[in-house]
Amino acid sequence: MSDIIIEFRDVYKSFNGLPVHKGINLSIRKGEIMALLGGSGSGKSVLLKEIIGLMMPDKGDIVVFGKHVTQMKEDELITLRRHVGMLFQGAALFDSLTVFENIAYPLREHLQLTEKELQERVAEKLRLVGLSGIELKMPAELSGGMKKRVGLARAIATEPDIILYDEPTTGLDPMAAQRINELIVELQRELGVTTIIVTHDLHCVRTVSNRIAMLHEGKIIMVGTWEELVASDIQEVKDFISGVICE
């Protein structure tokens, strides 16, 4: 299909002899929000890292923008990463840098912008995440929700085509989590990005995703909408949903 932007083809991955992926097959369409669900240790975050070549599968292929990630040299991977933004679970801000320098970091790495252009780009991305005017603050001065939003501003700084979210609402209070959920949808709508979310937050999954892929014992056991997920007769899907809701 011409609208497929990311594709996992029979991907296998093990750590210390323990298999995490046992033949992952998954296609992600351009412009959609795909949520990845699964128990702890099911390899959801590993899939995100494999998309940008931070980890490589033991076997199989990963195709992004029509190119084979598993065959890329380091300079090609660096170019790929410029087109992919990632929000890490803990926001992963540099504690010793201001908000401005945190967001400017990937811009200095990948683009040749003047200082004025840097300031304008950082200000624009902070506006998009609802945090205008905090350029000079340090990460220690920010709440957990604000750190996530600064991390998101950094993820979109290079104006990527794909955004990867690793547990974007973990550790946030309900209001902050809802703001992140709203931002995910807003950015997809405004920027036209393709979005992949690793999460245990079923409210996030229900409110933002177009499709959901469920991982279980190293394989994708279901791909569908939220309505299809909750109506599924697959026992592992039913057990996961009921278990998370009970938590």
Side-chain angles (χ1 to χ4, degrees):
M1 294 175 63
S2 59
D3 65 341
I4 298 300
I5 195 169
I6 301 168
E7 190 171 8
F8 291 87
R9 299 176 180 172
D10 206 24
V11 168
Y12 286 75
K13 182 70 177 177
S14 296
F15 294 99
N16 300 317
L18 297 174
V20 175
H21 299 152
K22 304 176 186 175
I24 295 287
N25 289 286
L26 180 65
S27 297
I28 297 159
R29 301 167 187 152
K30 183 176 182 180
E32 78 171 330
I33 300 178
M34 170 70 80
L36 300 180
L37 280 180
S40 298
S42 60
K44 304 182 299 297
S45 297
V46 175
L47 287 177
L48 297 187
K49 292 173 182 175
E50 288 172 336
I51 290 171
I52 52 178
L54 290 177
M55 288 184 177
M56 288 292 180
D58 302 327
K59 180 183 171 186
D61 199 7
I62 299 163
V63 181
V64 182
F65 304 126
K67 298 180 180 179
H68 301 269
V69 176
T70 49
Q71 299 172 16
M72 286 183 179
K73 297 185 173 75
E74 187 59 30
D75 59 334
E76 295 174 299
L77 288 171
I78 290 170
T79 300
L80 168 67
R81 290 167 192 156
R82 195 181 78 189
H83 297 280
V84 182
M86 185 163 181
L87 178 62
F88 295 93
Q89 185 170 342
L93 301 179
F94 298 107
D95 291 336
S96 60
L97 300 181
T98 64
V99 166
F100 174 84
E101 288 299 340
N102 264 284
I103 299 170
Y105 186 85
L107 297 172
R108 297 189 196 279
E109 287 283 302
H110 296 296
L111 303 176
Q112 293 182 325
L113 301 179
T114 66
E115 200 61 29
K116 185 174 185 294
E117 289 170 331
L118 275 175
Q119 291 171 3
E120 291 173 349
R121 180 77 69 95
V122 170
E124 177 195 3
K125 301 315 174 192
L126 282 172
R127 179 189 61 77
L128 281 174
V129 300
L131 290 176
S132 293
I134 70 161
E135 284 89 338
L136 298 182
K137 288 188 177 294
M138 302 298 290
E141 300 177 76
L142 308 179
S143 67
M146 291 174 73
K147 286 180 182 178
K148 286 281 178 91
R149 285 194 275 165
V150 171
L152 185 49
R154 184 176 62 186
I156 63 173
T158 59
E159 300 182 346
D161 300 294
I162 298 168
I163 303 179
L164 310 176
Y165 296 85
D166 193 0
E167 300 285 3
T169 59
T170 295
L172 301 182
D173 63 63
M175 287 186 64
Q178 181 58 28
R179 180 58 182 143
I180 293 295
N181 291 338
E182 291 168 356
L183 278 171
I184 291 170
V185 176
E186 287 171 19
L187 292 174
Q188 188 241 11
R189 185 171 56 242
E190 287 191 33
L191 306 179
V193 295
T194 301
T195 304
I196 306 176
I197 307 169
V198 163
T199 184
H200 288 91
D201 183 347
L202 291 185
H203 178 70
C204 172
V205 171
R206 184 172 66 250
T207 55
V208 311
S209 61
N210 303 122
R211 290 193 301 151
I212 302 149
M214 179 81 191
L215 283 79
H216 179 72
E217 294 186 351
K219 291 183 177 290
I220 302 285
I221 61 171
M222 180 183 175
V223 179
T225 63
W226 170 258
E227 291 75 19
E228 290 168 335
L229 188 81
V230 296
S232 174
D233 290 327
I234 300 172
Q235 191 61 46
E236 291 83 1
V237 175
K238 293 165 70 174
D239 289 347
F240 180 84
I241 292 174
S242 62
V244 172
I245 290 173
C246 288
E247 288 175 3

